[in-house]
Amino acid sequence: MKFLRLLTPLLLVIVAVLCFAPAAWAFCGFYVAKADTKLYNKASQVVIARNGDRTVLTMANDYQGEVKDFAIVVPVPTVLQKEQVRVTEPKIIERLDAFSAPRLVEYFDPDPCAPLPRFFDKLSFASGAVANSAEVQRSDRSLGVTVEARFNVGEYDIVILSAKESGGLETWLTNNGYKIPQGAKQLLQPYIRSSMKFFVAKVNLDKFEESGYQFLRPLQISYQSPKFILPIRLGMINATTEQDLIVYILSPQGEAEIANYRTVKIPSNVNIPVFIKNEFGEFYKSLFQTAYTKEGKRVGFLEYAWDMGSCDPCSAEPLTPEELKEAGVFWLNDNSPTAVPPFRKLVFPSFNSNVFISRLHVRYTRDTFPEDLTFLQTADRELFQGRYILQYPFEGEVKCEAGKKYRQSLPKRFEQEAQTLARLTNGNIQDIRNKMKLSVGNLTYSFWENFLSNFGFD
């Protein structure tokens, strides 16, 4: 314990030096803001915990309207029994969102006339749910629909259906009080041809009133199947605009990616003007839309890939083992060894790192994503995050030669930040320049006097 008390201050000094060094860690700085799902009016969120062929799928319900009109139809590969379905708390998805959201960080330039000492050049560190076939309870021969299972979970009434043709399934759902959009027949047919079953839920109004909840809780299902897919086509039946989907994939292996569409990393790790601190949400929405358009819209974006045992910078603490289990992680072993770097062990000593999280963001329409999403698990554990940097200049008095050169370098740096912001957001460069009225010491760049002639920017 005495050794740790002596070691901790030294580690903090090392971190401080690295953060201010020119060749600092790729991930450092002070977290100041995040771009979470609250930015989007219609953002669906799904958590997929998968190991081998076993999957736990959690669906956040963002339904807006009378709960009596709520209905959800989800194609599933097997017949589910009651013990494979449960409700969970919205807080778990909120925690995953906060932990993995793209983030804004701040750096502050040190006094160029009093550089920090260089201690070194480099630092290196060194329940699976089993799907059994259910006894058929009832069959409507005229429609070709079979009720494979029927049960209640929390505030939901659930049936598991199989069907021979989409028209009969659509009719059965309508006749039995499920308010589904018109035109579902066309999108149901491919799932029937693939012998998929249908998980169908609606709200039990009496139980919902008894529960005291104001909003519908997420539904969580577990199953065993070699298919690693997420059905999204049914969500497009009556969609009139582009839909945002955030998928959090939890795995003991590494990064997950979309197998049947391109997966690209969101533009990241760039310096942007400091005024973005007050506009980060709008900045990120513009950045995403620009990247989405540039990539041809048929693409999924990786916004975060990280070991759950650490974070740097932390927009929220990693989920605890208890929270991870609530999110569907079924392979955790309380006695399993962790692989958390030394700094992180000091901060999060009880967190299990046998969980890797991938945050994938898809914006889709029926035209751009005609197929359901198929995922691929990889062993790639390279860390990545959507991270955007504010670099504040030193504002004190400087008299040394290094300080003069530092001051002379600032206008070029500011212009590079403006150019970067314009490129990332497709913004107007002149408008950006006009907003970047910066005061550096007793010098004011009210718009970079003599800048264009000195550095040759258009």
Side-chain angles (χ1 to χ4, degrees):
M1 292 299 294
K2 182 178 180 180
F3 174 74
L4 280 178
R5 287 198 299 269
L6 295 174
L7 179 61
T8 300
L10 176 60
L11 292 177
L12 293 176
V13 170
I14 292 173
V15 171
V17 173
L18 288 173
C19 287
F20 287 111
W25 275 355
F27 302 102
C28 203
F30 302 94
Y31 159 77
V32 291
K34 63 178 179 286
D36 55 22
T37 56
K38 297 183 181 69
L39 293 177
Y40 310 101
N41 293 329
K42 296 182 179 179
S44 300
Q45 298 181 79
V46 177
V47 182
I48 305 176
R50 183 171 172 92
N51 186 13
D53 63 354
R54 295 178 294 171
T55 300
V56 178
L57 176 68
T58 307
M59 301 166 285
N61 291 322
D62 59 350
Y63 179 75
Q64 297 177 352
E66 296 291 335
V67 293
K68 64 182 179 63
D69 296 329
F70 171 85
I72 184 172
V73 181
V74 181
V76 291
T78 60
V79 174
L80 303 179
Q81 301 301 312
K82 182 174 182 177
E83 59 269 21
Q84 294 171 251
V85 184
R86 61 187 293 266
V87 290
T88 188
E89 297 301 321
K91 182 180 177 181
I92 293 302
I93 298 177
E94 293 171 5
R95 289 277 286 114
L96 287 167
D97 181 22
F99 176 73
S100 62
R103 61 211 60 200
L104 186 67
V105 297
E106 293 178 324
Y107 288 87
F108 294 85
D109 289 349
D111 183 348
C113 295
L116 290 170
R118 295 180 63 186
F119 292 104
F120 35 69
D121 291 326
K122 294 182 180 179
L123 180 70
S124 58
F125 295 103
S127 100
V130 179
N132 300 316
S133 59
E135 181 182 355
V136 176
Q137 297 180 359
R138 182 170 62 86
S139 176
D140 190 325
R141 295 181 180 178
S142 63
L143 296 175
V145 175
T146 301
V147 179
E148 305 283 359
R150 185 192 298 270
F151 48 86
N152 173 268
V153 175
E155 61 267 33
Y156 296 97
D157 289 332
I158 295 167
V159 294
I160 310 297
L161 305 175
S162 60
K164 294 181 179 180
E165 56 95 10
S166 58
L169 179 57
E170 183 181 32
T171 301
W172 188 96
L173 291 169
T174 301
N175 291 347
N176 284 269
Y178 293 92
K179 296 188 177 181
I180 62 172
Q182 293 183 351
K185 177 180 178 180
Q186 178 184 357
L187 294 178
L188 290 169
Q189 184 60 45
Y191 300 111
I192 294 174
R193 288 200 301 264
S194 300
S195 300
M196 299 281 279
K197 311 304 178 184
F198 296 90
F199 172 91
V200 184
K202 65 179 178 180
V203 177
N204 184 309
L205 295 178
D206 292 335
K207 290 186 176 295
F208 180 71
E209 292 178 0
E210 292 174 3
S211 70
Y213 288 101
Q214 294 182 333
F215 304 99
L216 294 175
R217 291 180 292 172
L219 276 163
Q220 188 176 84
I221 61 176
S222 57
Y223 56 88
Q224 190 166 359
S225 171
K227 297 179 180 180
F228 190 8
I229 64 172
L230 180 64
I232 63 172
R233 284 175 290 179
L234 290 182
M236 305 177 188
I237 292 176
N238 61 346
T240 58
T241 60
E242 294 170 332
Q243 307 291 304
D244 283 284
L245 170 66
I246 309 294
V247 184
Y248 311 94
I249 298 179
L250 306 174
S251 165
Q253 295 174 310
E255 180 185 318
E257 59 186 40
I258 303 172
N260 56 335
Y261 295 96
R262 287 190 304 126
T263 304
V264 300
K265 293 178 178 178
I266 197 73
S268 177
N269 205 33
V270 292
N271 286 63
I272 54 179
V274 296
F275 73 79
I276 291 298
K277 181 174 183 177
N278 298 321
E279 304 176 11
F280 184 56
E282 291 303 314
F283 156 77
Y284 189 77
K285 286 197 295 184
S286 296
L287 176 147
F288 187 89
Q289 180 65 36
T290 301
Y292 167 72
T293 303
K294 180 181 178 181
E295 295 290 346
K297 300 185 178 183
R298 298 175 181 267
V299 65
F301 287 95
L302 180 70
E303 293 184 323
Y304 195 77
W306 211 272
D307 191 306
M308 187 58 77
S310 67
C311 56
D312 182 14
C314 299
S315 59
E317 288 188 359
L319 275 69
T320 65
E322 291 74 20
E323 289 176 319
L324 288 171
K325 290 175 183 177
E326 185 72 18
V329 176
F330 53 85
W331 58 86
L332 281 185
N333 183 342
D334 293 337
N335 297 319
S336 63
T338 62
V340 184
F343 290 169
R344 297 297 162 238
K345 283 184 180 178
L346 293 174
V347 182
F348 308 118
S350 65
F351 290 0
N352 194 305
S353 67
N354 194 27
V355 179
F356 196 91
I357 179 173
S358 303
R359 176 189 175 114
L360 296 166
H361 186 166
V362 175
R363 179 166 291 171
Y364 64 92
T365 65
R366 292 181 68 171
D367 295 330
T368 57
F369 279 78
E371 299 177 359
D372 290 328
L373 300 182
T374 300
F375 299 105
L376 174 67
Q377 288 178 302
T378 76
D380 183 2
R381 297 182 73 89
E382 180 182 359
L383 305 180
F384 173 80
Q385 62 182 241
R387 172 177 172 271
Y388 308 94
I389 305 162
L390 307 181
Q391 185 92 24
Y392 292 89
F394 178 73
E395 296 186 355
E397 184 179 4
V398 294
K399 295 182 179 179
C400 64
E401 188 62 28
K404 294 178 182 178
K405 291 181 179 179
Y406 165 78
R407 281 281 170 77
Q408 292 170 356
S409 71
L410 289 177
K412 184 176 182 179
R413 186 176 97 184
F414 297 155
E415 174 65 11
Q416 289 172 338
E417 292 173 354
Q419 296 279 353
T420 298
L421 180 59
R423 173 175 54 83
L424 292 176
T425 63
N426 198 30
N428 182 288
I429 185 63
Q430 190 61 42
D431 291 342
I432 294 171
R433 289 168 177 159
N434 290 339
K435 296 184 73 171
M436 292 177 67
K437 294 182 179 179
L438 299 179
S439 174
V440 184
N442 56 5
L443 298 177
T444 299
Y445 298 94
S446 61
F447 177 44
W448 336 32
E449 297 168 347
N450 301 320
F451 174 74
L452 298 180
S453 61
N454 289 339
F455 295 97
F457 287 95
D458 294 331

